[in-house]
Amino acid sequence: MTSATSPDPLSFSALALSPALLQGIDALGYARMTPIQSQALPAILDGRDLIGQAPTGSGKTAAFGLGVLHRVDPGKIQTQALVLCPTRELADQVGKQLRKLAVGIPNLKLSVLCGGMALGPQLASLGHDPHVVVGTPGRIQELLKKKALHLRGVRTLVLDEADRMLDMGFLDDIKTVVKQAPKDRQTLLFSATYPEGINQLSAQFMRDPKEVKLSASVAQQAPPTIRQLAFEIKESERLHAVSLLLNHFRPASTIAFCNTKQQCRDLVEVLQGQGFVAMALHGDLEQRDRDQVLIQFANRSC
């Protein structure tokens, strides 16, 4: 007597995904769905609006990315999906992941359209409508005003990290953009937290959304191996304490968060004076300079 092996409910193959999307999942090395994916994807693939709350790193991008690509028809040359992100860095990251998920879909065009970059090349790239657009609210609104971007064919709208977009004052820009998309679209809203403004967005732009809310402990598949230490010091000792701690723990790379731009500059000056390779990253820098700092930090030259 033999017993059949029951299918794994957390396998992506348990979903109604095309072979092309399963190819993209394999390309990214995903073995099983994370909690946010397993709870959100069935509703997303069914065409429902959805509010997903889960911390960063829980797999939200793949959840809405699979939903976006599931509904795109590469044979129709029009923009069918729009993903709004709060920053250029996040938009670039989302764009890269969606391209990997779409590796098995021939002739799919995806454009990342953000501020902080020259407008001319972006206008030129919109000579033929991309199937999927990932961008920041301000630049998307600018392209809509110039009638270079058209949202009449949008079937899926994603608001990624909606809480950060609200914190950054993008609510009016979001409203302007969403009004130009068809009312019968699917809207997916993902957020790490749930501020009051999320309810306002949901009431205005969504239709009976399913809600999936996961705590940090549930969303993480494995407990993080993070050691947290706190040191109480006097204000007059603050800058000196940073260099003492770096010399004691000797980390390969460090990110130091400061309250103000001036404090960033002060700390960099102190660290550089003591021989550390330190660079500041804040909003007063031009986008190209911010990118350069991130590149040097990533390749360990800073």
Side-chain angles (χ1 to χ4, degrees):
M1 182 177 178
T2 60
S3 59
T5 302
S6 58
D8 182 359
L10 294 180
S11 170
F12 285 97
S13 60
L15 301 171
L17 296 172
S18 67
L21 286 179
L22 292 175
Q23 181 181 340
I25 291 168
D26 289 340
L28 283 167
Y30 294 155
R32 305 175 82 226
M33 289 185 279
T34 65
I36 187 65
Q37 292 164 359
S38 65
Q39 295 191 39
L41 270 169
I44 292 174
L45 297 178
D46 198 38
R48 284 197 62 180
D49 286 6
L50 181 133
I51 298 174
Q53 181 187 351
T56 301
S58 56
K60 297 193 296 289
T61 303
F64 70 69
L66 289 170
V68 162
L69 297 173
H70 176 74
R71 293 168 62 86
V72 167
D73 180 0
K76 292 183 178 179
I77 309 302
Q78 61 179 186
T79 300
Q80 300 169 48
L82 172 63
V83 182
L84 291 179
C85 302
T87 65
R88 176 190 167 190
E89 289 81 9
L90 180 60
D92 285 336
Q93 179 182 330
V94 169
K96 289 176 182 176
Q97 188 160 4
L98 292 189
R99 286 191 176 103
K100 290 179 181 178
L101 281 174
V103 67
I105 304 176
N107 304 317
L108 184 132
K109 180 181 178 182
L110 184 149
S111 295
V112 177
L113 306 171
C114 304
M117 299 183 67
L119 184 62
Q122 294 186 6
L123 290 171
S125 73
L126 294 173
H128 296 286
D129 290 343
H131 298 98
V132 180
V133 168
V134 181
T136 48
R139 178 50 57 92
I140 296 299
Q141 183 183 20
E142 185 177 5
L143 291 167
L144 288 172
K145 286 181 179 178
K146 292 182 178 296
K147 300 189 183 303
L149 180 64
H150 311 101
L151 304 184
R152 55 182 173 269
V154 166
R155 305 178 67 189
T156 309
L157 170 70
V158 181
L159 304 177
D160 188 21
E161 298 207 8
D163 50 351
R164 288 184 64 192
M165 287 196 282
L166 292 177
D167 288 342
M168 295 170 71
F170 282 135
L171 179 58
D172 289 339
D173 288 341
I174 292 172
K175 290 179 179 178
T176 300
V177 170
V178 173
K179 286 178 181 177
Q180 297 200 39
K183 291 185 178 180
D184 60 351
R185 68 184 183 272
Q186 179 185 32
T187 303
L188 308 176
L189 186 155
F190 284 84
S191 180
T193 60
Y194 204 93
E196 181 61 33
I198 297 295
N199 289 328
Q200 183 182 352
L201 284 177
S202 173
Q204 283 191 262
F205 305 137
M206 307 184 80
R207 298 171 298 172
D208 186 28
K210 175 181 174 64
E211 294 190 15
V212 176
K213 296 184 180 181
L214 301 181
S215 65
S217 58
V218 173
Q220 298 293 338
Q221 289 185 300
T225 55
I226 298 175
R227 183 185 180 203
Q228 300 186 48
L229 303 173
F231 299 90
E232 187 172 346
I233 57 174
K234 297 177 181 177
E235 173 64 23
S236 60
E237 300 171 344
R238 179 174 52 82
L239 294 176
H240 181 55
V242 176
S243 58
L244 289 176
L245 289 169
L246 291 174
N247 279 316
H248 177 76
F249 290 104
R250 306 194 69 81
S253 296
T254 300
I255 299 178
F257 291 93
C258 301
N259 284 341
T260 67
K261 299 167 189 174
Q262 186 57 49
Q263 286 180 356
C264 286
R265 300 185 190 100
D266 293 342
L267 181 56
V268 166
E269 183 178 349
V270 168
L271 293 177
Q272 288 178 344
Q274 298 188 20
F276 291 97
V277 182
M279 302 180 74
L281 180 64
H282 51 69
D284 281 353
L285 298 175
E286 295 290 336
Q287 185 64 52
R288 61 179 178 275
D289 296 325
R290 292 165 62 187
D291 291 343
Q292 189 61 33
V293 172
L294 291 172
I295 290 170
Q296 292 189 47
F297 185 74
N299 65 24
R300 298 292 177 87
S301 62
C302 171

